[in-house]
Amino acid sequence: MKGYYFITDSKLSRAGNRSDVLSAVSCGVKIVQYRSKNAETREMYQEALELGRICRDAGSLFLINDRLDIALAVEADGVHVGQSDMPCLRARRLLGEGKIIGVTVHNLAEAILAEEEGADYLGVSPIFQTATKPDAGKPAGIRLIEEIREQVSIPLVAIGGINHSNASDVFRAGADGICAISCVVAEANVRGQIRRFQDLFEGI
Ligand code: TZP
Ligand code: MG
C-alpha cells in the first residue's frame, strides 16, 4: 500500500482507462483500482478483464471498486468497499482469505470496526474538498489520518482532494498510500503526474 495508489475515472480521463492504467503500471504503481460508476455490467466485466490482464502482466495488484461480482468474475486481487457497499465480513466470506479487501472510512469508529472485521487496508476519505465524488462527505482533514494511525495498525490510503501541494502533509500525518484522481487522469501527462507523487514520497 506504500506510495501512490491508482484509481480509474473514465469520465475525467483524457486518455481513457486503458492508457491510464498502462501509464500507472509503467511507473511502477503497485495497486490499481477499477472504479466505474455508470457502466453496464457487461461493459464493466469486459473492461475489468482487460485492465486486470494489464496489471497481472505488470505484477501490479488489481482491485475492483464496489462490485464483488465483477471481482469474482475476472479473478481480481480484491475489492474496495464503502460504507454503503457489501459489508466487509460478507465480502470476506465471498472472496476468501487470500483476497484483498479495502474499506472506505470517514471517522475513527468506522476505522476500528473495519480493522476488526478483517479489512486489509483502509481508504480514509475525503481528506480535502473534492469535486470528483460529490457524495464523499465533509472533508476530514489530515487530523483524521493521525487519529486513525494511532489506533489502527493496517495500512491507510488517503483520498479526496489530494494534489502535489498537500500530499507531503498527508504522508507525514501517517498515510501509507495516497490516491489522487483528478490531478492525474485529467492531465495531459499522466505518467509525469504520477512520478511527481512518487518523488514526493521518496523524499519523505
Ligand atoms: N472516494 C473518496 S473521495 C474520491 C473517492 C473515489 C474521489 C477522489 O478524487 P480526487 O480527484 O483525487 O479528489
Ligand atoms: Mg463504493
Side-chain angles (χ1 to χ4, degrees):
M1 301 297 148
K2 292 259 179 232
Y4 177 79
Y5 172 129
F6 182 82
I7 301 185
T8 64
D9 192 316
S10 60
K11 276 203 186 153
L12 290 176
S13 174
R14 281 203 191 196
N17 284 345
R18 184 172 186 280
S19 167
D20 290 342
V21 169
L22 281 166
S23 296
V25 299
S26 77
C27 290
V29 169
K30 288 292 166 220
I31 305 194
V32 169
Q33 183 194 125
Y34 175 50
R35 179 172 182 267
S36 174
K37 289 296 182 182
N38 301 307
E40 298 283 353
T41 294
R42 180 71 62 97
E43 189 187 334
M44 267 193 92
Y45 165 71
Q46 269 156 355
E47 192 168 33
L49 257 190
E50 185 183 22
L51 300 179
R53 266 189 219 119
I54 293 172
C55 292
R56 196 163 304 134
D57 289 349
S60 303
L61 295 169
F62 182 62
L63 309 184
I64 307 282
N65 185 262
D66 297 350
R67 296 281 302 266
L68 263 99
D69 56 340
I70 302 282
L72 287 165
V74 305
E75 297 178 25
D77 296 296
V79 289
H80 185 93
V81 290
Q83 294 292 320
S84 11
D85 299 321
M86 187 69 74
C88 183
L89 285 176
R90 178 53 57 178
R92 177 64 71 205
R93 287 251 200 109
L94 291 166
L95 285 179
E97 288 302 323
K99 298 288 181 180
I100 297 168
I101 301 181
V103 177
T104 293
V105 300
H106 309 96
N107 54 52
L108 182 61
E110 287 175 358
I112 290 171
L113 183 65
E115 183 175 52
E116 280 169 9
E117 291 188 345
D120 293 293
Y121 75 93
L122 303 179
V124 183
S125 150
I127 305 303
F128 306 111
Q129 194 73 44
T130 177
T132 304
K133 182 172 162 64
D135 62 350
K138 211 170 135 252
I142 59 169
R143 180 73 195 111
L144 180 62
I145 303 168
E146 293 167 344
E147 218 176 271
I148 295 176
R149 183 70 297 158
E150 279 168 22
Q151 308 228 20
V152 162
S153 56
I154 55 177
L156 307 180
V157 177
I159 184 166
I162 296 174
N163 55 43
H164 298 97
S165 312
N166 58 30
S168 302
D169 292 340
V170 174
F171 279 129
R172 281 196 205 97
D176 299 279
I178 57 131
C179 174
I181 301 180
S182 47
C183 80
V184 170
V185 302
E187 298 297 325
N189 185 356
V190 170
R191 285 161 54 109
Q193 293 296 92
I194 293 175
R195 287 238 160 85
R196 284 178 63 201
F197 279 116
Q198 293 172 323
D199 289 346
L200 280 177
F201 184 64
E202 299 275 298
I204 287 171

